[in-house]
Amino acid sequence: MTDVITLGISGWFTPHGTLYHEEGRTLDEIAPEDWANLLAHADAIDFFTRPDPARPAADARIFHLTITDGERSRELAVNDPFEAPELALLIRLTRRAMRDRLVLTPETLSEEALEALRASLREAGQD
């Protein structure tokens, strides 16, 4: 299995109906420190074995968090408002790993972004 995290959000309503949004990142796209912190917290709160939370209300926002680490994999639906502060921290750590400190590689950059980076390196004399 590939080490990966996926975070989906569902259950909030708009004039266009219920929305669902999902993002995923592989281990190669996540800063190693963020991945280590995320897994350490997941292990500390028994993410891979904890019971599923109670079913949410029909209009509740739900975070669908999937963490795959080696042979371990689990999807947990976390209701918002969060039933426990440790789950809120896990969602924050996940969002940080996925957005704030994404590892940029030629594969994850668009062609325009990659060319802009190359141009700035050339200007700085680091080409």
Side-chain angles (χ1 to χ4, degrees):
M1 289 185 167
T2 301
D3 293 346
V4 65
I5 54 174
T6 304
L7 182 63
I9 305 172
S10 69
W12 74 99
F13 295 96
T14 72
H16 305 290
T18 303
L19 294 180
Y20 181 79
H21 174 75
E22 180 177 282
E23 292 182 64
R25 299 285 184 264
T26 64
L27 181 59
D28 295 341
E29 298 173 302
I30 300 170
E33 177 184 343
D34 290 340
W35 182 250
N37 290 338
L38 179 82
L39 286 180
H41 186 66
D43 287 336
I45 67 169
D46 299 320
F47 172 82
F48 292 99
T49 59
R50 77 183 296 135
D52 290 326
R55 297 204 40 90
D59 62 346
R61 184 169 68 158
I62 305 165
F63 290 84
H64 304 270
L65 176 60
T66 303
I67 300 174
T68 302
D69 175 41
E71 296 300 314
R72 303 183 302 169
S73 185
R74 167 97 192 268
E75 179 183 343
L76 184 66
V78 180
N79 305 327
D80 183 21
F82 302 111
E83 66 186 45
E86 65 267 16
L87 290 174
L89 178 57
L90 185 63
I91 296 297
R92 282 195 311 273
L93 289 170
T94 301
R95 285 181 146 176
R96 177 183 174 130
M98 293 179 72
R99 294 191 180 126
D100 296 345
R101 294 163 45 106
L102 180 64
V103 174
L104 298 178
T105 65
E107 294 77 27
T108 61
L109 289 172
S110 69
E111 203 53 48
E112 287 177 355
L114 187 56
E115 187 51 43
L117 179 60
R118 286 180 180 141
S120 68
L121 289 174
R122 280 191 298 271
E123 288 175 15
Q126 298 177 13
D127 188 18

